[in-house]
Amino acid sequence: MRIGLLIIDLQEAHLGKVEQQVIDKACEYINYVAGLLRSRDHAVIHIQDIEGMEPSEEAKFNIIPGIEVQETDFRVKKEYSNAFWKTDLEQIVREQNIDLLILSGYAAEHCVLFTYNGAAERGFKAVLLQNGILSSHSDVIPATYRDRSLISYPVIEALVQS
């Protein structure tokens, strides 16, 4: 099974209302899973929301320093909440023969959710990374986990071992 990790909108421009310790915890989980997947030649895809970006604010739209980015990772820039909409994400997923998408990042109630739904609409299996999604509203995370498929890093470890 080929796995792809989507790291969605972890950019300074979007994380202003999220506490730093919450961001740090999510980054720890995301980086661990990304490293695990990279070590087994699975895909890591960074999604950057550039909607409304002004040239003078470009630095705010970079991926935050807490997320490790490797040369082999893919990057997708988007202007809509669903990372599949009007981007080459679907093409990358198909070309990489990805069977399972693991979604992480910000915001659970917007871009993560819309991308999760976009994956399902295109026939991809998608799950959310436990402790790997963020929101500026604390009640959103439990509701998002309750209503969607979820995966923990020990399960990912078992999947990549087989």
Side-chain angles (χ1 to χ4, degrees), residues 82-123:
N82 176 357
F84 286 98
W85 187 251
K86 296 185 179 184
T87 70
D88 59 353
L89 180 57
E90 182 174 359
Q91 179 181 348
I92 292 169
V93 172
R94 293 197 189 285
E95 286 175 355
Q96 293 298 308
N97 297 311
I98 295 172
D99 302 300
L100 177 67
L101 287 170
I102 301 170
L103 280 67
S104 64
Y106 181 83
E109 70 277 24
H110 296 293
C111 297
V112 174
L113 175 59
F114 296 164
T115 301
Y116 180 96
N117 291 338
E121 291 167 354
R122 288 157 179 80

Side-chain angles (χ1 to χ4, degrees), residues 19-30 131-132 134:
E19 294 178 21
Q20 188 61 47
Q21 72 184 112
V22 174
I23 295 170
D24 293 344
K25 179 182 176 187
C27 287
E28 184 178 348
Y29 279 86
I30 293 166
N131 298 315
L134 297 160

